[in-house]
Amino acid sequence: MRIAFVSLGCDKNLVDSEVMLGLLQKSGFALISDESQAEVIVVNTCCFIQDAKEESIENILEMAQYKKTGNCKALIVTGCMAERYKDEILAEIPEVDGVVGTTGYESIVEVVEEILKGKKIQKFSDINTTIREDYQRVLSTAGYFAYLKIAEGCDNKCTYCIIPQLRGKYRSRSIESLISEAKTLVSQGVRELILVAQDTTRYGIDLYGEKRLPQLLRELCKIEELKWIRLLYCYPEEITDELIDVIAEEEKVCSYLDMPIQHANTAILKRMGRRSTKEELIHLINKLRNRIPDVCLRTTLIVGFPGETDEEYEDLVQFVTDMKFDRLGVFTYSKEEGTAAAKLKGQIPKKIKELRKDKIMKLQQAICEEKSAQFVGKTLEVIIDGKLLEENEYCGRTYRDAPEIDGMVFVHTDEELLSGDFIKASITSANEYDLVGRIVDESGE
């Protein structure tokens, strides 16, 4: 029986897809990438913002067509949108045969088998259920990097966010299980591990009574064949001096920190339910740069939050101008039903939100160009992602670049390189996001 997956949304959702793939493969299903040939199609959905919901719906409807034009006998919807709209999906899209919630994915094999017997299935569990830690994943990323989900759920009370209602309270995995999984991944060829959770910096607080991310990182650094460890989703309120020390001291931990601050105006931050002030953010950023001089700071912002005045927005613009983040993304506020922010007065028109987003992105483009230019003439370590169609040209990433969201390095060399190779590259030119270089040997030639 052939099965295909469409995994949408964040990399945390991707890990869930990989767990389901592992369970299905273990039960004898053949995993394929061509949905038109699949007898079972699973769409693992996202609904964090309106755009994500629309993408999920479009993909479900597209896959539903294979009930008529392909070989599909079972169409299953899983993930956040399934959790949020469990009844609506089955009622409004009759081609869907099964709906599985965010903690029901461990039953994916049972769900598929029941559907193939002609049943319509809904599978939902307590969203606060304990995380099982003994699954074998099938990696859908390139084999040399993988995401390691260290916790599920979220205890933050951000007023714009629906995730706690869909993913439950914060639940950490044990250090032992994470080290075991990491060793398995590395034995399969993984050289770069990317740690993810809704809030990675709170890791361990529920399980051990204290934050244990620094200890986890030090244990991961002991895995011999592991080259890079990258941190995503680090909330600024939880970044401790101990964590900063680990990043500064451990060679395998990339000097890269993804730190979603969402805004910088203190009044807006308070209405968002965030626990930082503008002054605290500035202090933290300066501390990070002083303690880790080569740190690459990435952040995300939300513009057009309800009631955001011109003055509050310009405060954010000035903050971006002053702080000069290495990487920065901007979302327009999405009014999500069931969140506290959806009830706030002062909802801002879409056109104004888009204009505010565009202004900051244009500003950030100039900052990125300035930052990239600083690397011309320097030699950087690069992990090779693949070969381009052009002869002797490869694309890769530095420690400053997370897969799929940051820039690339284009390397020209006559040597034959493989994906996952680490090389030294002398940077010869740059634009706002990407670098171009040539390979050099260990002596710098």
Side-chain angles (χ1 to χ4, degrees):
M1 184 69 67
R2 294 164 297 183
I3 190 163
F5 258 72
V6 178
S7 191
L8 305 172
C10 66
D11 36 51
K12 300 177 287 293
N13 214 37
L14 181 64
V15 173
D16 293 346
S17 293
E18 292 175 345
V19 170
M20 286 188 277
L21 286 168
L23 291 168
L24 289 160
Q25 185 181 68
K26 186 177 180 180
S27 294
F29 288 87
L31 311 180
I32 65 172
S33 57
D34 185 354
E35 294 93 353
S36 68
Q37 298 300 312
E39 292 148 298
V40 179
I41 301 176
V42 180
V43 183
N44 196 13
T45 60
C46 175
C47 65
F48 179 57
I49 57 176
Q50 183 61 33
D51 286 349
K53 283 189 284 187
E54 292 174 359
E55 182 186 20
S56 292
I57 293 169
E58 288 170 3
N59 273 273
I60 295 169
L61 294 175
E62 181 182 349
M63 294 304 109
Q65 292 301 310
Y66 292 118
K67 283 285 194 77
K68 301 175 182 177
T69 63
N71 298 306
C72 184
K73 298 179 177 63
L75 177 58
I76 302 167
V77 178
T78 66
C80 287
M81 190 169 180
E83 185 72 43
R84 191 173 183 182
Y85 300 110
K86 53 177 73 76
D87 296 323
E88 292 88 338
I89 292 172
L90 282 178
E92 298 179 17
I93 310 178
E95 295 89 346
V96 172
D97 301 292
V99 183
V100 181
T102 54
T103 54
Y105 60 81
E106 67 181 57
S107 302
I108 189 64
V109 174
E110 173 192 333
V111 169
V112 171
E113 290 173 346
E114 290 298 305
I115 290 172
L116 292 174
K117 293 176 183 177
K119 299 179 181 179
K120 291 268 187 176
I121 298 292
Q122 285 184 309
K123 191 68 176 181
F124 294 87
S125 305
D126 181 359
I127 59 172
N128 295 313
T129 190
T130 302
I131 307 171
R132 281 185 58 182
E133 301 180 334
D134 56 351
Y135 294 128
Q136 295 297 313
R137 293 157 55 188
V138 171
L139 291 184
S140 57
T141 56
Y144 53 89
F145 78 87
Y147 297 99
L148 185 66
K149 186 157 78 166
I150 65 175
E152 180 60 277
C154 188
D155 288 342
N156 294 314
K157 307 297 182 184
C158 302
T159 59
Y160 52 81
C161 185
I162 195 69
I163 294 300
Q165 299 178 44
L166 307 178
R167 292 281 178 176
K169 64 184 181 181
Y170 196 87
R171 290 106 68 208
S172 302
R173 293 179 55 188
S174 69
I175 288 180
E176 293 77 14
S177 74
L178 291 168
I179 297 301
S180 176
E181 182 175 355
K183 287 180 177 178
T184 298
L185 291 170
V186 171
S187 72
Q188 296 170 351
V190 169
R191 308 291 303 283
E192 176 184 11
L193 275 181
I194 305 167
L195 273 56
V196 296
Q198 296 299 332
D199 179 355
T200 56
T201 32
R202 284 183 64 85
Y203 171 74
I205 193 72
D206 58 308
L207 198 58
Y208 303 109
E210 62 181 8
K211 288 175 276 192
R212 288 280 184 92
L213 183 58
Q215 291 90 329
L216 173 62
L217 289 171
R218 292 205 189 272
E219 289 300 314
L220 289 170
C221 286
K222 296 176 183 178
I223 301 175
E224 187 173 346
E225 296 301 317
L226 183 58
K227 181 75 172 179
W228 281 355
I229 302 169
R230 189 182 300 278
L231 291 173
L232 299 186
Y233 311 110
C234 297
Y235 276 56
E237 300 89 353
E238 306 293 348
I239 296 174
T240 62
D241 288 342
E242 184 181 9
L243 177 58
I244 295 172
D245 288 342
V246 171
I247 299 171
E249 294 166 4
E250 293 286 356
E251 183 179 351
K252 292 185 178 183
V253 181
C254 294
S255 297
Y256 176 103
L257 205 60
D258 170 56
M259 184 175 66
I261 63 172
Q262 310 305 8
H263 213 281
N265 178 269
T266 298
I268 292 288
L269 287 168
K270 185 176 181 179
R271 295 206 296 276
M272 284 181 166
R274 306 287 294 202
R275 291 175 283 119
S276 292
T277 65
K278 177 183 177 181
E279 291 70 26
E280 288 169 342
L281 290 173
I282 292 172
H283 177 74
L284 175 60
I285 291 166
N286 289 334
K287 180 194 290 187
L288 286 165
R289 287 174 169 161
N290 288 332
R291 187 70 180 89
I292 315 168
D294 63 343
V295 70
C296 177
L297 294 180
R298 175 181 178 82
T299 197
T300 51
L301 305 173
I302 297 173
V303 296
F305 190 77
E308 182 187 57
T309 65
D310 290 342
E311 292 76 17
E312 289 167 337
Y313 170 71
E314 290 301 329
D315 193 23
L316 174 61
V317 171
Q318 189 61 51
F319 177 85
V320 172
T321 302
D322 294 340
M323 292 298 99
K324 296 186 183 299
F325 284 93
D326 301 88
R327 309 279 188 255
L328 184 146
V330 183
F331 296 93
T332 56
Y333 167 73
S334 178
K335 182 180 178 181
E336 295 300 316
E337 56 186 310
T339 64
K343 302 174 184 177
L344 293 177
K345 296 180 179 179
Q347 299 288 332
I348 293 173
K350 180 179 179 180
K351 182 177 180 180
I352 294 177
K353 290 190 288 189
E354 291 292 340
L355 288 171
R356 290 180 177 180
K357 171 186 174 180
D358 292 345
K359 179 177 179 178
I360 291 182
M361 288 308 300
K362 185 176 181 180
L363 169 61
Q364 182 61 27
Q365 185 174 0
I367 292 171
C368 284
E369 189 169 356
E370 176 188 334
K371 293 270 188 179
S372 293
Q374 296 172 1
F375 289 93
V376 175
K378 296 184 178 180
T379 297
L380 298 174
E381 188 170 41
V382 174
I383 185 172
I384 297 299
D385 283 323
K387 189 173 184 179
L388 303 180
L389 294 177
E390 293 82 356
E391 188 176 359
N392 301 331
E393 187 170 16
Y394 295 82
C395 59
R397 296 175 288 108
T398 72
Y399 77 92
R400 298 169 54 81
D401 307 303
E404 300 181 354
I405 57 175
D406 292 325
M408 302 291 294
V409 181
F410 297 94
V411 180
H412 301 270
T413 179
D414 292 330
E415 294 189 28
E416 195 69 30
L417 301 176
L418 299 175
S419 297
D421 283 349
F422 282 83
I423 56 99
K424 299 284 187 180
S426 175
I427 305 303
T428 58
S429 64
N431 61 26
E432 63 267 28
Y433 301 115
D434 299 323
L435 304 176
V436 176
R438 58 179 178 81
I439 194 170
V440 297
D441 61 29
E442 292 300 324
S443 64
E445 296 298 325

